Amino acid sequence: MLNQADFRSPQTRPVFPEDADDAHPRCREMAEAMRDLFAVGGGVRGKDLVGAGFTWAEIAEFRDAAAKLASTASVRQVNARPDLMADIIEKARAPLPNRPPLPRDTKETQARLVDWGRYCTARAALVLDPWPGQRERCLGLLSLYLNRLPIFPANREAVIKAVEQTLPQVAQ
């Protein structure tokens, strides 16, 4: 009678089975099919995978690993680039409270968001009810926000002048 130890390989496995590179080719195919099905229909069901050419046995064997591979392949890291001068001018001309201009070496802090929100509010109020005091308040709040950014004074003035041209003209 043969002993079970006779069938074991003396070699050890160099990689873990959880490694993405060691995935079964059919598992990788299922992961791509899952990504495609999710993009089209917003979800992946067993019968969708059967329709894509997989057997129920393959689905049972590879479903979890393929879902993990599909999820890993679908995640994309996005790093926002710092705002250039043209971006700062554009954001100041059409301000949105959740998109403050942030040049290089500038972090989005609570104080900056509050200052930017004040400018956005003043700008919206000026559009609804233009009067000279509100126009000056709007420019003052923009200047306050820009003074806290690490940009040159000449650039601050250029932004303020560009924004001033787009503000509604009001009679005194």
Side-chain angles (χ1 to χ4, degrees):
M1 185 171 219
L2 290 175
N3 191 357
Q4 224 178 2
D6 297 333
F7 293 105
R8 292 190 189 147
S9 170
Q11 295 177 338
T12 58
R13 189 177 184 136
V15 291
F16 294 107
E18 296 85 28
D19 234 359
D21 295 338
D22 197 33
H24 190 276
R26 197 66 175 149
C27 180
R28 282 191 228 117
E29 289 176 29
M30 186 180 293
E32 285 303 312
M34 286 177 155
R35 290 181 64 203
D36 293 341
L37 289 168
F38 188 80
V40 172
V44 180
R45 298 175 301 185
K47 68 180 185 177
D48 296 331
L49 290 172
V50 169
F54 297 97
T55 65
W56 284 108
E58 290 173 326
I59 294 170
E61 183 178 353
F62 299 125
R63 179 184 55 224
D64 294 336
K68 185 177 177 183
L69 282 174
S71 176
T72 303
S74 297
V75 174
R76 188 176 94 187
Q77 186 70 18
V78 177
N79 292 331
R81 69 169 174 79
D83 289 326
L84 303 174
M85 187 64 179
D87 299 328
I88 293 172
I89 291 172
E90 186 59 36
K91 285 182 175 183
R93 283 182 174 170
L96 296 173
N98 61 338
R99 292 193 53 219
L102 297 170
R104 185 177 346 142
D105 300 330
T106 307
K107 300 261 189 251
E108 187 177 276
T109 63
Q110 187 66 32
R112 283 198 179 101
L113 286 175
V114 168
D115 288 345
W116 182 250
R118 286 180 184 152
Y119 167 67
C120 292
T121 304
R123 180 71 187 252
L126 179 64
V127 170
L128 290 175
D129 186 22
W131 53 281
Q134 185 65 19
R135 190 173 198 275
E136 293 308 313
R137 180 174 180 262
C138 185
L139 290 171
L141 289 170
L142 177 60
S143 179
L144 177 74
Y145 178 78
L146 293 174
N147 285 338
R148 295 186 181 203
L149 294 180
I151 59 176
F152 293 113
N155 290 345
R156 288 185 202 118
E157 292 301 320
V159 173
I160 290 173
K161 284 183 183 180
V163 170
E164 192 172 16
Q165 293 172 354
T166 63
L167 292 178
Q169 298 297 324
V170 292
Q172 299 243 1

